[in-house]
Amino acid sequence: MTAPVILVVNGPNLNMLGSRQPEVYGRDTLADIESSCRQHAATLGIDIEFHQSNHEGDLVTWIQGARGRCAGIVINAGAYTHTSIAILDALLAAEVPAIEVHLSNLHQREDFRHQSYVAKAAKGMICGLGSHGYLLAIDALTRLTRGTRKA
Ligand code: DQA
């Protein structure tokens, strides 16, 4: 039997992690986060597909591709969180449980970051716990989907 797959999708500017406003986003690079996601998922018997793009359409295409194939989606859509109806629609169309992750605590920041289109389609949101939030999201998806066909 093949291992369930969790798709991890990262949006714009997250490729800059490590050097980008470390006081807000921490010192881990995206490669560090990918490697800890893979290590953690391996302990749970899960495969990870990990992507980042600065282009909204790439995120939409990856989310569409999860339909009927992935057990769950971890999504940090970066600034598209606050603007993208296209990403919201893709998540609704995919019909795959999704957990929204943000490194920073959105609610301690500017008002425009308090609005999330992703949240309208996500099972839950983890924000403010830095890169550890990705691992918590993998745990949450594992628990949510355990006992179902794909996980
Ligand atoms: C972020 C928060 C967003 O508001 C911001 O645009 C990002 C990163 C986070 O992980 O804290 O790019 O998603």
Side-chain angles (χ1 to χ4, degrees):
M1 229 177 70
T2 56
V5 176
I6 288 181
L7 173 70
V8 184
V9 180
N10 294 281
N13 299 306
L14 294 169
N15 55 315
M16 304 285 292
L17 288 177
S19 57
R20 173 193 183 199
Q21 295 178 275
E23 69 288 358
V24 177
Y25 298 116
R27 298 227 168 252
D28 284 349
T29 64
L30 196 61
D32 294 333
I33 295 174
E34 175 173 0
S35 138
S36 33
C37 284
R38 288 192 188 286
Q39 275 177 34
H40 186 62
T43 68
L44 300 167
I46 287 168
D47 283 346
I48 292 289
E49 278 182 20
F50 197 95
H51 295 292
Q52 187 276 333
S53 178
N54 296 326
H55 304 280
E56 189 175 13
D58 289 340
L59 276 67
V60 168
T61 300
W62 289 323
I63 294 164
Q64 287 179 2
R67 186 184 160 93
R69 194 177 63 81
C70 293
I73 299 173
V74 176
I75 178 161
N76 182 350
Y80 289 140
T81 303
H82 318 298
T83 61
S84 179
I85 297 167
I87 290 173
L88 166 61
D89 283 350
L91 288 166
L92 293 172
E95 296 183 335
V96 172
I99 304 285
E100 174 178 6
V101 171
H102 300 282
L103 298 148
S104 61
N105 185 338
L106 301 181
H107 302 288
Q108 291 176 348
R109 303 186 64 194
E110 303 95 324
D111 285 353
F112 62 81
R113 294 186 206 273
H114 300 175
Q115 153 86 2
S116 167
Y117 284 105
V118 171
K120 297 184 187 302
K123 288 275 182 198
M125 180 206 276
I126 297 164
C127 77
L129 300 180
S131 60
H132 187 56
Y134 285 76
L135 307 187
L136 295 173
I138 291 168
D139 285 343
L141 284 171
T142 304
R143 204 182 162 92
L144 274 170
T145 60
R146 189 174 287 151
T148 66
R149 190 173 54 84
K150 288 179 251 143

